[in-house]
Amino acid sequence: MSKLKLGVLISGRGSNLQALIDACAAPDFPAEIALVLSNKADAFGLERSAKAGIATATVDHRDYPGDKPAFEATMDASLRKAGVQLVCLAGFMRLLSPWFVGQWRDALINIHPSLLPSFKGLDTHERALAAGVRFHGCTVHYVRPEMDEGPIIAQAAVPVLPGDDAHSLADRVLESEHKLYPHAVRLIAEGRARVDGDLVRIHGPVPDLATLTNPPI
Ligand code: GAR
């Protein structure tokens, strides 16, 4: 079985990248990382990649002042050269242009730390607490030109608990991100998550879910 070749784009810590590295280490996982690309030379995720023997590249946006097209064309060429089939944004903190998003339409996914379409953008945990929601979580979605928009592939909900602050909530969400991202990649690699208009349809058996209630009944 040939594995789906991933290109992972990072800007920093790379804990979601690590979750993908760990998932790909399992012989039966249907994807492999062909390239990790960072827009920052000091991103810790680059060290994680080197340790795992994965090819890396840095394309620093500051080397392209006022020239986003050239920055993105360089990233695009690097991903193509590595044979990447699916680009995974994993804490990549640059907004991609409609051109780049169009080049990778339905082959570009993102993980976002909220239950979209709630709390697009930054500071999602602070805003979830301020809104008083009882569930928060994370979303993996196909990328469209509008920020944090696009067909939803998978979501994980976590409860907001009494006494939570943004840090404790972020930690709980991050733990769920690390499970959700490899799960979503697997669904795509197995051909089970297919874009249908503005939605993703999941093909094949899906276990029934019980209702979640918070506070519990
Ligand atoms: C993650 O929580 C990810 O969901 C978020 O940045 C963090 C990166 O952490 N992404 C965004 O906010 C994108 N809008 P990591 O570098 O440890 O994976």
Side-chain angles (χ1 to χ4, degrees):
M1 182 193 70
S2 84
K3 297 192 177 208
L4 187 73
K5 288 190 188 312
L6 310 179
V8 185
L9 265 56
I10 61 166
S11 296
R13 179 177 60 178
S15 70
N16 277 291
L17 163 67
Q18 188 67 55
L20 291 172
I21 290 173
D22 294 346
C24 289
D28 69 339
F29 194 73
E32 62 190 2
I33 302 176
L35 181 69
V36 172
L37 202 160
S38 174
N39 68 308
K40 291 190 172 176
D42 61 353
F44 182 62
L46 290 172
E47 287 178 39
R48 298 179 189 268
S49 316
K51 202 169 161 197
I54 296 167
T56 63
T58 300
V59 182
D60 190 332
H61 58 282
R62 291 168 307 183
D63 292 340
Y64 304 83
D67 194 356
K68 194 166 183 172
F71 166 62
E72 292 188 339
T74 306
M75 287 200 298
D76 181 67
S78 183
L79 293 163
R80 304 265 174 215
K81 196 172 160 210
V84 167
Q85 297 166 293
L86 178 71
V87 177
C88 304
L89 305 182
F92 183 72
M93 301 313 267
R94 308 297 301 174
L95 201 56
L96 294 165
S97 74
W99 176 80
F100 187 92
V101 173
Q103 289 299 109
W104 292 92
R105 189 175 170 93
D106 298 345
L108 171 60
I109 63 175
N110 180 44
I111 187 155
H112 180 75
S114 77
L115 291 171
L116 290 173
S118 290
F119 311 122
K120 296 173 182 173
L122 299 175
D123 303 324
T124 57
H125 311 302
E126 287 83 350
R127 288 189 287 136
L129 287 170
V133 295
R134 292 297 189 256
F135 285 105
H136 186 41
C138 53
T139 303
V140 179
H141 64 98
Y142 282 102
V143 175
R144 294 292 180 259
E146 304 77 28
M147 189 183 60
D148 300 326
E149 290 261 353
I152 290 169
I153 301 158
Q155 293 186 305
V158 301
V160 179
L161 300 179
D164 263 338
D165 60 18
H167 289 291
S168 60
L169 186 54
D171 285 349
R172 193 173 308 119
V173 171
L174 193 64
E175 211 181 308
S176 70
E177 293 184 42
H178 296 162
K179 294 185 189 123
L180 191 70
Y181 216 175
H183 174 55
V185 168
R186 177 187 279 281
L187 287 173
I188 293 168
E190 291 177 346
R192 294 187 56 208
R194 297 184 215 147
V195 179
D196 177 8
D198 292 336
L199 305 179
V200 170
R201 307 270 177 211
I202 302 295
H203 298 259
V206 178
D208 283 347
L209 279 178
T211 304
L212 298 175
T213 308
N214 180 29
I217 294 166

